[in-house]
Amino acid sequence: MDTNEQIESILKDLTLEEKAGQLNLIPIEGTPTEEQLQMIRDGKVGSVIKSNGVENNLKLQQLAVEESHAGIPILFQEDVIHGYKTIAPIPIAEAATWDLEAIRKSAAVAAREATASGIQLTYAPMVDVCRDPRWGRLLEAAGEDPYLGSLVSAARVKGFQESNPKNSNLLGCVKHFAGYGASLAGRDYNIADFSERELREIYLPPFQAAVDAGVASLMCAYTAYDGVPLTANKFLMQNVLRGEMGFKGLVMTDWETIPNMVKIGVAANDTMATEMAMNTGIDMDMTSQKYVNLIPFLVKSGKISEEQVDQAVRQVLLLKQKAGLLDDPYVLFNKERETSELLSERNIAETKDIALKSMVLLKNENNTLPIKNDVKKIAVIGPFAKAAKDLLGWWHMMGDANDVVTYWDGIKKEFPEADISYAPGCEIDSFRVAGRELIPQAVKTAKKADLVILILGEEYWMSGEGGGVASLHLPSAQEELLAEVAKTGKTIITVINSGRPYILTEVAENSDALLYAWMPGTTGGTALGEILSGKYNPQGKTPMTFPYHEGQIPIFYSYRKTSHAFIPGISSNRYTTTYRDIQHEPLYPFGYGLSYTTFEYSEIQLSATTMSKTGSLQASVKVTNTGSVKGNEVVQLYLHDKVCSVTRPVKELKDFTILELEPGETKTATFNITPDKLEFIGIDYKKTLEDGEFDLFIGTNSANCKQAVFKLDN
Ligand code: BGC
């Protein structure tokens, strides 16, 4: 039977109530209630969230297939954001690798484990571009840049969906469409208000990348665009998503966003909200049960047509078909596969690989790192030294703290000859004032050591959904702890466990070396140990600007040109777009990260200084490893349109490549400049190409580049 025939033959036998049931997604956490079981028997449940494991999901599947009238299998969905049982670094950390193949593989690990455990769809990738580190959810996405974000988005979709096409791929659900990352002031679920130009330049590209990569489904955001909640926003959900972007898959709400429309005040009651969502083309209702309860009434009263309902049901059935459930509802429920897949050797190894690549070396004064292997006494200090769950992040699915290699374990393993002591340093409390009592004991421990490794940061719940913060200084007394330990004059290596960029201005001043570990997942301690010992040379680069001061937020590298530009190095910048009281620059720019070796860039060579609108040109630099160890360098290409009919960013990332260089070795990085790299969203909101000069930058980060100029001509 061809795929459409299979779906149509199921659809034609369904009652209106059963059709509405297919659009219903309910949470079943732990043991199902009798009411939930009855809903399944009655054909009122199409999909389930929060039920995991072959054993649990098989029972529910048997109930749906064998005891409901239509016998349609359930689609099990979950937040498999960065791992299921083997937990990878949080997505913002994965983005810091700039290594798309490692990112794809990491998503494939998650897909193998989740599908082996009875899940067929994940609510990932989350591709919301975010420029405000106060927003807790930025950890799930790829940072501030739409270009990097787009490549990461596509890599993750491919990793989830192509992990093993033989019925063990995990369907993706790209989210949250669109502009949720613009939540005002970093407060979750807040209003977001931005221009159509920003929508198209910044927020849509990573969604387009997911669509082009074949993502199976999409979730709309809690927020509104131009004042209209996404669940009812026909402009975005129809004209843009279906029309311009060409998305053909299923669209679902976020958690209860249908009744939320009543709370927001755009619908008078749930019936009206349900009608609005259906008329906007939202196919699936996450958890509110408004579709299952109200659709039959809306059809019977003529507010929506049965054909609209059929269209949505086709989308659901198509997902079930893609997951292999329509051919064999039990295909994914195999206890043996589950046992052998979870935490398998291969999954651990691939997760460790990306954890190594994700850590960013922010400071390394006097080559403090790597730690020399003859070090005698190390003090490991800090509230995160022995943490386990805090390495897993907010969305850690079935990740278990007992499986985590702690930083302490990782350090002990790498330095077996050293005498290693420990002090917690301070207690963690959400407020900065608390937790000082343990500082004196930490200072004593530091005094007895040759070298101090301070492990600071935030607990897993402090970022993530609802994890907005006003202060971006490390919680509790951690900065005081560091300042007191620094007074001992010992060499200090500071490691930060975190879901967001913190303000590290004083932390960096008080540290000889500073390494951002993010929340590195199950194998985080092993990765840290191998980096500290020099077994692995760090290559991570910041996917987000690290502010110097909270008052700079939002701060990002690709701001539009202004008339009163700040000019570095001059004596007065009074009449410029800057602050009077702090430095203009961030602490660490976008794309920044050090290595244990050094890289030297040649001037840029252009194959031509003019290119035509249908042609291309090549820009290359020679990069030399001028240090004494092998290293990987992420070489970055940025462009700037010098004269344009709309204001353009001073720099935009357009390409990058990773070079692996032995000491003394030189390699050439060549970038192909094609017209699509020069396009912008024109005055009419269409992609446009304009003649004129472009600045071209190639460098080691967004603030440190070589520069050349070329011209686009007819
Ligand atoms: C979040 C989504 C998530 C969903 C299901 C919502 O609150 O915004 O990102 O996938 O819950 O857990």
Side-chain angles (χ1 to χ4, degrees), residues 15-250:
T15 63
L16 181 57
E17 283 67 24
E18 285 168 334
K19 289 176 185 173
Q22 282 306 301
L23 310 183
N24 188 28
L25 159 63
I26 67 161
I28 299 186
E29 220 166 339
T31 314
T33 62
E34 188 40 49
E35 193 193 346
Q36 288 167 332
L37 297 175
Q38 194 51 45
M39 279 180 75
I40 296 176
R41 283 187 208 104
D42 291 344
K44 289 189 167 172
V45 176
S47 301
V48 167
I49 171 175
K50 297 204 181 295
S51 177
N52 307 306
V54 163
E55 220 171 296
N56 294 335
N57 291 0
L58 181 60
K59 281 191 206 141
L60 298 177
Q61 195 67 309
Q62 281 166 335
L63 195 66
V65 172
E66 281 149 41
E67 293 189 36
S68 77
H69 160 254
I72 303 174
I74 293 169
L75 186 75
F76 292 93
Q77 317 186 0
E78 259 299 5
D79 287 292
V80 184
I81 306 294
H82 54 109
Y84 178 78
K85 184 80 177 169
T86 310
I87 305 300
I90 53 175
I92 185 83
E94 293 203 347
T97 68
W98 296 53
D99 185 330
L100 303 172
E101 183 51 17
I103 292 170
R104 189 194 62 75
K105 276 190 180 167
S106 170
V109 170
R112 287 198 298 272
E113 292 196 353
T115 53
S117 224
I119 310 296
Q120 295 96 46
L121 182 144
T122 179
Y123 304 125
M126 193 267 227
V127 302
D128 298 311
V129 173
C130 170
R131 295 170 165 192
D132 190 333
R134 292 172 298 183
W135 195 49
R137 295 205 76 171
L138 73 89
L139 73 80
E140 287 173 62
E144 75 182 45
D145 187 66
Y147 179 78
L148 179 62
S150 298
L151 294 178
V152 171
S153 165
R156 301 197 73 211
V157 168
K158 287 180 192 152
F160 289 133
Q161 296 195 166
E162 294 169 9
S163 56
N164 178 356
K166 265 196 106 193
N167 289 339
S168 62
N169 55 339
L170 185 64
L171 303 170
C173 176
V174 66
K175 68 188 187 186
H176 308 82
F177 192 77
Y180 180 34
S183 293
L184 201 65
R187 281 153 52 191
D188 212 351
Y189 323 110
N190 204 6
I191 50 170
D193 226 344
F194 49 86
S195 68
E196 184 171 346
R197 185 163 306 284
E198 278 198 15
L199 170 77
R200 293 177 180 280
E201 284 184 359
I202 298 164
Y203 297 109
L204 293 185
F207 285 96
Q208 184 70 62
V211 170
D212 294 345
V215 73
S217 66
L218 175 141
M219 187 190 297
C220 59
Y222 280 120
T223 43
Y225 171 69
D226 199 18
V228 183
L230 266 305
T231 313
N233 197 311
K234 289 185 182 163
F235 168 69
L236 263 176
M237 304 313 297
Q238 294 177 6
N239 306 12
V240 175
L241 180 67
R242 300 287 190 197
E244 296 177 28
M245 296 173 67
F247 180 62
K248 297 203 166 52
L250 175 138

Side-chain angles (χ1 to χ4, degrees), residues 277-314:
M278 273 305 286
N279 283 332
T280 304
I282 311 290
D283 303 310
M284 189 183 279
D285 168 15
M286 187 191 288
T287 66
S288 83
Q289 307 214 26
K290 300 304 168 206
Y291 271 10
V292 70
N293 292 329
L294 296 169
I295 279 179
F297 164 76
L298 287 171
V299 172
K300 282 168 198 157
S301 57
K303 299 280 186 197
I304 59 171
S305 67
E306 188 154 355
E307 180 49 31
Q308 281 174 278
V309 183
D310 287 355
Q311 249 336 90
V313 176
R314 284 188 186 100

Side-chain angles (χ1 to χ4, degrees), residues 131 201-202 556-561 639-642 646-653 680 697:
R131 295 170 165 192
E201 284 184 359
I202 298 164
F556 48 94
Y557 82 95
S558 63
Y559 50 91
R560 286 175 204 285
K561 273 205 288 195
L639 291 177
H640 163 234
D641 191 344
K642 291 177 84 162
V646 295
T647 52
R648 298 291 297 133
V650 291
K651 242 173 222 174
E652 281 179 299
L653 183 71
F680 67 99
F697 307 90

